[in-house]
Amino acid sequence: MISIVPIYAAILALYYIRLTFNTIDQRRSNKVSRGNGGNEDLDKAIRAHGNFIEFTPIALLLLFFIETKTLGYTGTAGLVWAVSIHAWCLILLVGRYLHAVGMTAEGKGSFRVRGMVSTIGVIVSSALSLFVLSIWQLF
């Protein structure tokens, strides 16, 4: 039974809606319906929102595939995979939050970098793990 990734996917979806409303609020307050109208705060909100949707789905998809491939694992192997999936999901969740804060809050640029490093780290490590796991299961 798949039970880990959907929990984090739901939380991330709600956070995505938060970023969506932040962009809408910026558009309304700046009276800009398309583009950024030359407004830096609106541009930051648009990019925080856009970056989230550019990176989050692939990370969740990789984690979902890992969870489905390790469903039958029991004992220590099952525990290690479950803990790893939780860790990846938590790092992704924190990373996406840090990135958005770093994009939109003044003086928090280092959060943006930490958020991207976290997100890319999750994507690379889960992609490599999924590749090795898939090859391993062939034999």
Side-chain angles (χ1 to χ4, degrees):
M1 170 191 283
I2 298 170
S3 61
I4 299 171
V5 176
I7 294 166
Y8 294 95
I11 295 167
L12 286 160
L14 293 172
Y15 190 60
Y16 176 71
I17 295 303
R18 170 68 182 97
L19 293 173
T20 300
F21 283 122
N22 185 47
T23 302
I24 291 168
D25 290 344
Q26 284 289 328
R27 287 191 180 287
R28 284 184 180 156
S29 66
N30 292 291
K31 296 178 177 48
V32 177
S33 63
R34 280 187 282 156
N36 63 16
N39 184 286
E40 190 175 335
D41 289 337
L42 175 55
D43 187 55
K44 289 176 183 179
I46 291 168
R47 285 312 311 142
H49 180 250
N51 188 278
F52 186 96
I53 203 61
E54 292 163 0
F55 283 89
T56 305
I58 188 68
L60 286 172
L61 190 58
L62 290 165
L63 295 168
F64 176 78
F65 286 150
I66 290 171
E67 186 171 8
T68 60
K69 286 191 142 310
T70 59
L71 283 177
Y73 288 37
T74 59
T76 303
L79 180 62
V80 166
W81 280 110
V83 168
S84 297
I85 293 166
H86 273 294
W88 275 318
C89 287
L90 282 169
I91 293 167
L92 178 64
L93 183 65
V94 170
R96 294 290 71 210
Y97 175 76
L98 288 176
H99 181 269
V101 168
M103 285 291 293
T104 57
E106 199 63 38
K108 300 288 186 191
S110 65
F111 283 24
R112 177 180 171 210
V113 173
R114 290 181 182 130
M116 280 311 301
V117 167
S118 299
T119 301
I120 290 170
V122 167
I123 292 171
V124 170
S125 62
S126 62
L128 292 172
S129 295
L130 181 60
F131 178 78
V132 170
L133 183 61
S134 297
I135 297 298
W136 185 264
Q137 288 179 347
L138 286 175
F139 301 102

